[in-house]
Amino acid sequence: MNTTEMTENGAKPFVAKRWIGIRPRVKQTVNQEARPTQVAIASADGEVKRYELETEQDELDFILGKWPVNGKFRDASENEDLSVFFPHHIIKDDPKEAAKKNRPLKPDQVPVAYDGLREGDLVGMALGGMGDRMAYAISRTGEKRGFAIKRIPPIRLKEARGEADEGFDSELLARLVLESPEQFRPLAKRDRALVKLRETNRLRRFLMKDRMACEQRIRASFLGDVFCSEEGQYPEGDIEQLFNYAKASDPLFQAISDKEKKLNKQLAAACAELPIYSEVIIKVKGVKHSIAAPIIGSVQDIGLFPTVGKFKKFCGLHVNPDGSFPRQRRGEELGFNPDARQAFFIAGDMFVKFADGFWGVRLRENKVMYRTRHPYPVLVTDAGAEYPLMAGKWKQNKKTGEYEIETDAGVVHCKGKRKFTDAHLHKRGIWRTVTEFAEWLYWKWRTMEGYTAPKPKVVPPEDMGVALPEIKVVGGAPEPPTFPAVEGVPGLGQTAEAVLA
């Protein structure tokens, strides 16, 4: 049993006296079901206390070491110093109620006993989830008050739980942090920066939804005033321009927009504190903090992914065993993180717009590669037959949707769905490029954190000690560049036209 931990700067040893497991919960569901945060405290003498924190105020009081045990109060004695209690813990009698019932004022009531975090406590919590805010507060307060916190990856907690009920996770965490502290990782200052990033990004998403909802309400109200005018004084001019004037004059919309801009700046600052963004991602053309934050915040610790395959599966960039692409379907449990996957897909859209960057060029090379493999669109019939749609050898009846296709065996009339169209190959090119980008990011991230990782096949030239070639713009569009030939790296060393040839 290891009871000694080092502080972040290694100057002062920390000796654990109590081991505390905390399982944060939502306090109350939408159906008004109580789900308080569960706490288990194990002492050196073997005693285990179990508490339930019913509100966020209870959580904060527990962190500050002054939580009224089980909500029990007593009458304050005469001349008792009430300054030792938090003001919101002092229950005072209502003078109006006393006068109404013609009775004397009752004495103030104060908590019977306090409990909470104190010097020598070692807290164990699961990594991620709704416990981020509480873990941040415990870490920050513990630096001043002499207690510490460690977090365990959810997969390890699940393995330790086995078939047991999740309702006993607080006791399990207390036992694990006591008996197996090596399975936990401390929450240091850098980890608090990650928590701040996750929280800021979450609040920013809420504000974005509020702004869009507010904009829709303003638009509905504005159009109602325009078209349903009793006086018939319909405005002359561009409706969209008048709508923009209405938005600009709406105080609620402007307040939400200003708050969103402020959080956007805070998110950029939070990303800048993390080396993976400030030293790696920021150099990728088109990928800024709004895209990087969901990826970094979802992954948290790249050390939790020993292989690039597991990393891609977590981010939704893998392929199912049957060859299909993973999708989010109603009623099915997700096998990937939706925030990370969405961020990677948005990054792919940015590669389309920033075509002069390395990954933008790589996207075009992948599209050329797919078109070389599939020179013509293909019609897949309901029966599973496939017919190439070569130029001039097919036509479609727009009314019935039936195709007429010339084949070597004669003319075929059928219905079906087309694949390998320009739009289809464009999307496939995006996903392939995004997957290559994720493999490169995994390698850079793991290397930066001191872990081992195989070097991917596709990396920017600067990672091979080769300067990025200059992109020439001809006729308003970037000219496909020629990269220096690099052995084992497909697509480098030839232009898109060369691939087609």
Side-chain angles (χ1 to χ4, degrees):
M1 179 177 64
N2 182 14
T3 61
T4 303
E5 303 291 336
M6 297 299 294
T7 58
E8 189 174 341
N9 57 17
K12 181 181 177 181
F14 169 80
V15 180
K17 300 175 183 177
R18 296 195 307 175
W19 298 266
I20 302 176
I22 299 180
R23 183 195 179 203
R25 298 204 295 173
V26 295
K27 316 300 179 298
Q28 192 176 66
T29 66
V30 292
N31 298 323
Q32 307 303 312
E33 178 187 354
R35 290 189 178 178
T37 292
Q38 298 172 337
V39 179
I41 304 176
S43 303
D45 56 6
E47 180 186 7
V48 178
K49 299 178 182 178
R50 297 173 180 84
Y51 296 137
E52 291 188 342
L53 309 180
E54 298 178 353
T55 65
E56 285 78 8
Q57 183 64 62
D58 287 344
E59 289 182 344
L60 187 58
D61 290 344
F62 188 84
I63 294 172
L64 297 176
K66 284 192 173 184
W67 174 68
V69 176
N70 296 327
K72 294 182 179 180
F73 290 77
R74 60 173 175 80
D75 292 339
S77 58
E78 188 176 356
N79 299 325
E80 184 174 0
D81 183 12
L82 302 184
S83 63
V84 298
F85 302 99
F86 284 149
H88 60 277
H89 290 164
I90 302 175
I91 301 177
K92 296 184 179 181
D93 195 11
D94 186 359
K96 294 183 180 180
E97 187 68 20
K100 185 177 179 180
K101 295 183 178 180
N102 194 24
R103 62 168 174 77
L105 289 174
K106 295 180 181 179
D108 295 336
Q109 288 190 318
V110 294
V112 173
Y114 276 140
D115 202 349
L117 298 181
R118 56 177 182 254
E119 184 177 357
D121 286 346
L122 180 59
V123 179
M125 292 179 64
L127 185 65
M130 67 182 64
D132 276 349
R133 287 176 293 187
M134 191 174 184
Y136 186 104
I138 293 174
S139 173
R140 189 70 184 88
T141 308
E143 289 182 349
K144 299 179 180 179
R145 302 200 175 191
F147 50 83
I149 178 173
K150 282 189 158 192
R151 308 181 79 185
I152 187 172
I155 185 65
R156 295 182 183 173
L157 178 61
K158 184 177 180 179
E159 291 172 354
R161 183 192 306 129
E163 299 298 327
D165 187 357
E166 292 183 7
F168 297 97
D169 274 2
S170 58
E171 289 90 337
L172 176 60
L173 286 165
R175 179 171 61 82
L176 288 176
V177 80
L178 167 64
E179 299 175 353
S180 307
E182 69 280 356
Q183 296 191 57
F184 292 72
R185 55 169 294 176
L187 198 154
K189 185 178 294 185
R190 189 190 67 171
D191 301 291
R192 292 205 300 268
L194 179 59
V195 171
K196 186 184 294 184
L197 180 145
R198 286 168 55 89
E199 186 67 14
T200 305
N201 187 53
R202 185 180 68 88
L203 295 176
R204 177 175 166 272
R205 288 203 307 269
F206 287 157
L207 274 178
M208 287 176 62
K209 294 178 181 178
D210 290 343
R211 173 179 52 78
M212 290 186 288
C214 183
E215 187 173 3
Q216 291 174 349
R217 288 193 295 268
I218 295 173
R219 187 178 186 86
S221 176
F222 168 75
L223 293 177
D225 293 341
V226 169
F227 285 91
C228 302
S229 172
E230 288 290 341
E231 295 79 13
Q233 299 296 322
Y234 303 113
E236 298 179 0
D238 186 357
I239 284 184
E240 289 302 322
Q241 184 178 5
L242 296 174
F243 171 61
N244 290 333
Y245 292 155
K247 284 196 302 182
S249 60
D250 187 89
L252 178 59
F253 180 80
Q254 291 304 315
I256 295 176
S257 298
D258 292 343
K259 180 64 174 177
E260 184 184 357
K261 292 177 183 177
K262 182 178 179 181
L263 277 178
N264 193 45
K265 293 180 180 179
Q266 292 178 0
L267 184 63
C271 284
E273 294 184 35
L274 300 170
I276 184 58
Y277 176 78
S278 60
E279 299 178 16
V280 178
I281 300 180
I282 198 173
K283 299 177 183 178
V284 179
K285 258 195 170 181
V287 181
K288 299 303 179 183
H289 61 274
S290 57
I291 298 176
I295 298 175
I296 300 173
S298 300
V299 174
Q300 297 191 71
D301 183 6
I302 194 64
L304 299 177
F305 303 92
T307 65
V308 66
K310 291 185 177 181
F311 174 74
K312 290 191 294 184
K313 185 174 182 180
F314 174 83
C315 297
L317 303 177
H318 63 294
V319 178
N320 291 325
D322 60 357
S324 63
F325 204 61
R327 294 183 179 180
Q328 183 174 355
R329 293 182 173 88
R330 183 177 299 178
E332 293 184 6
E333 185 177 352
L334 287 179
F336 56 86
N337 186 284
D339 294 335
R341 184 183 182 185
Q342 183 185 36
F344 272 112
F345 184 76
I346 296 174
D349 280 343
M350 292 297 103
F351 297 154
V352 176
K353 297 178 180 179
F354 291 84
D356 57 340
F358 172 80
W359 296 106
V361 173
R362 183 62 187 168
L363 169 60
R364 287 186 291 147
E365 290 179 342
N366 282 329
K367 290 171 62 177
V368 169
M369 178 268 296
Y370 278 125
R371 180 49 77 195
T372 304
R373 291 182 181 178
H374 310 285
Y376 305 105
V378 173
L379 181 72
V380 182
T381 67
D382 298 337
E386 297 186 359
Y387 297 100
L389 301 178
M390 293 183 287
K393 293 190 176 184
W394 68 277
K395 59 182 179 180
Q396 182 185 20
N397 189 320
K398 298 297 183 181
K399 292 183 178 180
T400 63
E402 187 178 68
Y403 288 82
E404 182 181 303
I405 307 172
E406 297 180 19
T407 67
D408 295 338
V411 178
V412 176
H413 295 83
C414 58
K415 292 184 179 181
K417 295 182 179 180
R418 284 184 285 181
K419 65 178 181 179
F420 304 137
T421 61
D422 289 343
H424 180 201
L425 296 186
H426 175 73
K427 183 167 287 189
R428 289 188 68 170
I430 287 179
W431 279 117
R432 182 180 179 89
T433 306
V434 164
T435 301
E436 293 171 343
F437 170 68
E439 292 170 351
W440 168 79
L441 179 62
Y442 174 83
W443 169 62
K444 295 287 287 187
W445 201 343
R446 292 270 300 186
T447 304
M448 175 176 288
E449 297 289 343
Y451 300 104
T452 58
K455 190 173 183 178
K457 294 181 179 179
V458 180
V459 296
E462 57 265 27
D463 288 327
M464 297 180 291
V466 182
L468 186 67
E470 181 182 357
I471 305 295
K472 298 180 181 179
V473 177
V474 179
E479 180 183 350
T482 300
F483 288 97
V486 179
E487 183 179 358
V489 182
L492 295 184
Q494 53 188 331
T495 64
E497 286 77 4
V499 174
L500 277 175

